[in-house]
């Protein structure tokens, strides 16, 4: 049987540890490929289940307030992402991380028909994250949204409470 | 009072107020103190310090008391060691409230850590931690992987044209059968 293809967007730091813990739990059943921001040098070492690795420009917003700057960051990253997704052709895409994953998720869903799987970080107890809000506005019932703390379930109507990875 | 080792970690970012406060109280305490200061500019004078280390487990093992920022990666790592643990929320960050929220929630759930809301109270918390007992943290259940696998299994695969054609014919046959039964 052919293993289903899954693309994984690694964030940085804590986001990476969370996603990789999930990947460890999922095990060898699937064909993974990883997408990493090019400013992130530590995530690659932590990958335990092998897969192809692709790099994209980092679009993390953090302290940027200048809209022109943000657009300048997103355009080349978007072009790169389309190229990478053409190579991978994922059926599913998993992410949890910071702003690096937003446009990757949306492009994968609307251009390549992949199903989005997104979960909120384990810090989020009551409030939504910026990425969560943005990605959730593109959600349909065919996608999977998970949260790691019970109070958050009320804020995302389609989401599921799945326990905590820590 | 017998000396003990205290280890302070601030993660990959910076947490100036914690390093400063720790440096200020260091003379009052009769302990060996090591601080991992990250990318902070302030360099402590009264205690040992270093910037980064690839593996902090050695330092965790030597310490009697660990003081850390509220980054969940660090928090869960230290909770697993079962050492005495005080966590302070880092309000210097770009998103200042999420560590507060997280630490409040986790400190309600387990007694494996003490949550120090104000950094000025750190000295009191250190004194208090000598007397109190800390519980071993039990990992919470997580069925995220099961949720994902069922999601992947249940999503319908794309139907090929041939299969669709087959389905159509089958439905016609069914209709024909029901019609013949009625007769």
């Amino acid at each position: 049987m052919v293993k289903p293809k899954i693309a994984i967007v690694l964030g940085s730091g804590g986001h990476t540890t969370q996603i990789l813990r999930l990947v460890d739990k999922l095990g060898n059943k699937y064909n993974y490929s990883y997408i990493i921001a090019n400013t992130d040098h530590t995530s690659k070492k932590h990958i335990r289940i092998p897969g192809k690795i692709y790099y994209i420009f980092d679009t993390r917003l953090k302290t940027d307030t200048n809209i022109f700057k943000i657009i300048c960051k997103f355009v080349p990253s978007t072009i790169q992402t389309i190229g990478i997704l053409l190579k991978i052709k994922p059926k599913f895409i998993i992410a949890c991380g910071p702003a690096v994953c937003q446009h990757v998720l949306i492009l994968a869903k609307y251009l390549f028909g992949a199903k989005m799987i997104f979960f909120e970080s384990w810090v989020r107890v009551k409030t939504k994250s910026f990425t969560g809000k943005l990605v959730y506005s593109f959600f349909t019932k065919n996608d999977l949204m998970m949260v790691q703390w019970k109070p958050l379930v009320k804020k995302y109507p389609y989401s599921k409470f799945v326990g905590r990875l820590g | 009072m017998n000396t003990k080792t205290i280890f302070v970690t601030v993660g990959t970012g910076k947490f100036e107020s914690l390093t400063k406060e720790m440096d200020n109280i260091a003379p009052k305490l009769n302990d060996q103190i090591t601080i991992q200061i990250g990318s902070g500019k302030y360099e402590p004078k009264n205690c040992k310090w270093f910037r980064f280390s690839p593996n902090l487990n050695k330092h965790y093992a030597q310490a009697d008391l660990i003081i850390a920022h509220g980054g969940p990666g660090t928090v869960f790592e230290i909770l697993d060691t079962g050492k005495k643990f005080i966590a302070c929320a880092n309000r210097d960050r770009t998103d200042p409230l999420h560590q507060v929220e997280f630490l409040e929630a986790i400190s309600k759930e387990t007694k494996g850590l003490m949550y120090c809301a104000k950094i000025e109270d750190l000295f009191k918390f250190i004194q208090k931690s000598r007397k109190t007992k800390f519980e071993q943290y039990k990992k919470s259940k997580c069925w995220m992987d099961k949720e994902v696998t069922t999601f992947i299994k249940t999503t319908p695969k794309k139907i090929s044209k041939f299969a669709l054609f087959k389905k159509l014919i089958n439905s016609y046959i069914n209709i024909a059968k029901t019609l013949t039964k009625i007769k």
Side-chain angles (χ1 to χ4, degrees):
Chain A
M1 215 181 101
V2 186
K3 291 175 180 178
K5 283 179 187 171
I6 298 179
I8 290 163
V9 190
L10 297 180
S12 53
H15 299 282
T16 306
T17 33
Q18 285 175 66
I19 281 216
L20 290 179
R21 277 188 193 187
L22 174 64
V23 172
D24 284 350
K25 281 189 161 198
L26 286 173
N28 255 327
K29 286 176 275 183
Y30 308 109
N31 189 356
Y32 300 107
S33 38
Y34 301 92
I35 298 170
I36 309 177
N38 61 357
T39 51
D40 182 9
H41 305 294
T42 49
S43 291
K44 196 186 165 186
K45 293 173 205 162
H46 297 294
I47 294 170
R48 287 171 289 263
I49 295 172
K52 276 195 173 178
I53 296 167
Y54 301 91
Y55 288 94
I56 56 169
F57 287 120
D58 196 0
T59 57
R60 225 180 152 179
L61 304 171
K62 269 199 168 171
T63 50
D64 278 358
T65 46
N66 193 343
I67 295 172
F68 181 70
K69 247 188 186 177
I70 294 169
I71 292 168
C72 278
K73 273 184 177 179
F74 264 97
V75 168
S77 191
T78 308
I79 296 164
Q80 254 186 336
T81 312
I82 292 171
I84 289 167
L85 289 175
L86 269 172
K87 277 182 200 163
I88 304 175
K89 284 174 191 158
K91 284 273 168 63
F92 299 94
I93 180 154
I94 304 181
C96 113
V100 204
C101 72
Q102 295 164 353
H103 57 298
V104 184
L105 278 172
I106 293 160
L107 286 173
K109 183 178 166 74
Y110 287 97
L111 286 183
F112 299 90
K115 299 276 188 295
M116 292 200 276
I117 300 171
F118 185 85
F119 60 94
E120 275 284 21
S121 167
W122 51 23
V123 229
R124 298 290 165 180
V125 185
K126 287 171 201 162
T127 53
K128 298 174 183 180
S129 67
F130 177 75
T131 312
K133 272 185 223 165
L134 198 136
V135 169
Y136 193 68
S137 60
F138 289 92
F139 257 64
T140 55
K141 280 186 182 176
N142 297 325
D143 304 311
L144 183 64
M145 176 80 178
M146 300 179 286
V147 293
Q148 303 192 42
W149 287 91
K150 264 187 182 167
L152 251 190
V153 180
K154 290 168 197 165
K155 299 217 169 175
Y156 294 112
Y158 298 137
S159 67
K160 281 176 182 171
F161 171 67
V162 288
R164 207 170 52 243
L165 284 167
Chain B
M1 202 159 57
N2 50 347
T3 57
K4 285 188 171 175
T5 51
I6 297 175
F7 179 59
V8 184
T9 173
V10 304
T12 49
K14 57 181 176 181
F15 193 177
E16 303 276 52
S17 44
L18 177 64
T19 44
K20 267 183 197 170
E21 179 66 21
M22 207 57 216
D23 195 29
N24 290 336
I25 33 177
K28 284 192 231 168
L29 299 163
N30 199 14
D31 301 318
Q32 253 196 347
I33 301 168
T34 321
I35 307 181
Q36 181 258 319
I37 64 168
S39 57
K41 278 173 192 164
Y42 183 82
E43 295 176 351
K45 289 151 204 155
N46 302 319
C47 37
K48 283 189 219 162
W49 59 273
F50 63 91
R51 285 198 180 273
F52 295 107
S53 165
N55 198 354
L56 292 173
N57 286 335
K58 197 180 78 186
H59 296 280
Y60 293 152
Q62 286 170 357
D64 296 302
L65 169 67
I66 303 169
I67 299 168
H69 71 136
T74 328
V75 169
F76 288 126
E77 215 174 83
I78 298 170
L79 280 173
D80 288 340
T81 63
K83 289 282 166 84
K84 288 187 173 186
F85 177 26
I86 298 172
C88 313
N90 189 351
R91 287 168 205 261
D92 304 346
R93 292 182 52 122
T94 43
D95 187 359
L97 280 177
H98 80 260
Q99 286 196 354
V100 177
E101 197 182 283
F102 168 70
L103 283 178
E104 273 172 6
I106 196 95
S107 61
K108 266 180 205 168
E109 206 176 277
T110 70
K111 287 182 178 172
L113 83 165
M114 282 163 93
Y115 167 45
C116 172
K118 283 180 186 171
I119 290 178
E120 298 85 60
D121 298 340
L122 190 62
F123 185 69
K124 278 183 213 164
F125 269 90
I126 292 171
Q127 300 289 21
K128 218 206 254 175
S129 72
R130 293 182 207 274
K131 289 162 197 166
T132 48
K133 273 192 176 180
F134 287 73
E135 283 173 15
Q136 178 67 39
Y137 170 69
K138 285 171 202 159
K139 278 195 176 183
S140 77
K141 279 179 189 171
C142 183
W143 55 97
M144 190 184 273
D145 53 320
K146 280 175 198 168
E147 199 71 51
V148 172
T149 42
T150 49
F151 175 74
I152 288 171
K153 268 182 196 170
T154 50
T155 46
K157 284 164 193 166
K158 271 189 183 173
I159 304 163
S160 64
K161 279 176 187 169
F162 178 70
L164 234 152
F165 188 65
K166 233 181 172 180
K167 245 188 177 179
L168 247 166
I169 288 174
N170 270 333
S171 60
Y172 280 135
I173 291 167
N174 276 333
I175 292 165
K177 272 180 187 173
T178 46
L179 282 175
T180 48
K181 269 179 193 173
I182 292 163
K183 277 178 187 176

